[in-house]
Amino acid sequence: DSGVTQTPKHLITATGQRVTLRCSPRSGDLSVYWYQQSLDQGLQFLIQYYNGEERAKGNILERFSAQQFPDLHSELNLSSLELGDSALYFCASSPFRRVYNEQYFGPGTRLTVT
Amino acid sequence: AQSVTQLGSHVSVSEGALVLLRCNYSSSVPPYLFWYVQYPNQGLQLLLKYTTGATLVKGINGFEAEFKKSETSFHLTKPSAHMSDAAEYFCAVSERDFGNEKLTFGTGTRLTIIP
């Protein structure tokens, strides 16, 4: 158990809908990363937040957005869903020390768009 | 931009045989290097990492990897495969950029163990 929690574990929804994925980082970790794992694209970085602020952006679609709240949990919002958005979405958290910051991954949310 | 190449999307080895999973990276400066394992329907677990120091890195479950700068490689090995090693393995890199250590993953290698 990494200490990172993600809810829900599974999500099935229809095209055109909007969903919210939630991530609670390990206690004390200030950074949250979101990754998408799909058959087409593999594992790719979407976005990073540090202490409530967006810090880095990867291959995140405009239909997707994220935020990190004052209690440090993060949410990934996916809208106008398409079949191709079906994937496993992971979040990872890390501390913010002036040495290497290891990422700890949550168990993921499996999104199925029908 | 960084990239990772994993040679062989599927590797099969007999139980007790050597496991060798290959990873090459492309980066302007030596990055941080990682191997992650993913068991079916589970998340990613860190096997081992290279950040600095000794280039031969030992990880969990008897795995090790060697960072070879001249070959830009970070191959994963285990002397004797066990049935429980069957999983998907991902090589990853991140920049040496404090607080911005997003991971770039390879496409993964599915390891099958033959009894």
Side-chain angles (χ1 to χ4, degrees):
Chain A
D1 185 355
S2 67
V4 179
T5 60
Q6 290 187 247
T7 56
K9 195 168 183 176
H10 300 277
L11 198 48
I12 301 174
T13 189
T15 54
Q17 295 299 304
R18 173 189 170 94
V19 297
T20 297
L21 313 183
R22 181 187 171 104
C23 169
S24 294
R26 295 186 326 151
S27 177
D29 284 356
L30 297 178
S31 274
V32 170
Y33 297 77
W34 285 96
Y35 294 88
Q36 179 196 57
Q37 184 178 29
S38 67
L39 289 175
D40 292 343
Q41 303 291 331
L43 259 167
Q44 58 176 356
F45 166 72
L46 295 178
I47 197 163
Q48 178 200 1
Y49 275 80
Y50 164 68
N51 204 21
E53 299 290 327
E54 182 184 304
R55 188 165 178 90
K57 221 168 188 176
N59 298 323
I60 188 166
L61 299 171
E62 285 192 12
R63 300 183 285 109
F64 295 2
S65 65
Q67 54 185 327
Q68 187 178 27
F69 295 86
D71 66 352
L72 300 177
H73 90 271
S74 178
E75 293 181 357
L76 180 66
N77 300 295
L78 315 177
S79 62
S80 302
L81 285 168
E82 302 175 0
L83 295 178
D85 298 328
S86 295
L88 196 51
Y89 291 85
F90 289 108
C91 82
S93 74
S94 72
F96 202 81
R97 302 182 298 255
R98 287 201 173 270
V99 292
Y100 164 68
N101 293 293
E102 180 171 334
Q103 293 181 37
Y104 297 84
F105 281 79
T109 293
R110 183 170 295 280
L111 173 66
T112 302
V113 182
T114 61
Chain B
Q2 297 178 313
S3 65
V4 178
T5 302
Q6 289 185 242
L7 294 175
S9 57
H10 292 85
V11 170
S12 297
V13 301
S14 297
E15 191 175 13
L18 171 73
V19 175
L20 171 60
L21 304 183
R22 299 178 188 273
C23 172
N24 289 88
Y25 68 89
S26 173
S27 178
S28 55
V29 295
Y32 295 138
L33 295 156
F34 312 85
W35 276 99
Y36 283 85
V37 61
Q38 185 178 29
Y39 297 101
N41 300 314
Q42 293 189 28
L44 294 164
Q45 181 181 10
L46 181 65
L47 271 180
L48 49 77
K49 64 179 183 284
Y50 170 77
T51 56
T52 188
T55 55
L56 181 61
V57 180
K58 294 187 186 298
I60 62 172
N61 302 337
F63 284 93
E64 61 183 37
E66 186 170 11
F67 166 55
K68 292 188 177 181
K69 183 179 176 181
S70 61
E71 298 177 8
T72 60
S73 69
F74 191 57
H75 302 330
L76 181 70
T77 60
K78 181 174 180 178
S80 177
H82 191 273
M83 295 301 294
S84 61
D85 295 328
E88 186 137 24
Y89 292 79
F90 293 92
C91 181
V93 301
S94 77
E95 293 183 15
R96 294 177 179 267
D97 182 7
F98 164 61
N100 184 20
E101 292 122 348
K102 62 182 182 292
L103 294 165
T104 299
F105 288 90
T107 50
T109 298
R110 184 170 299 278
L111 177 64
T112 300
I113 309 299
I114 304 165

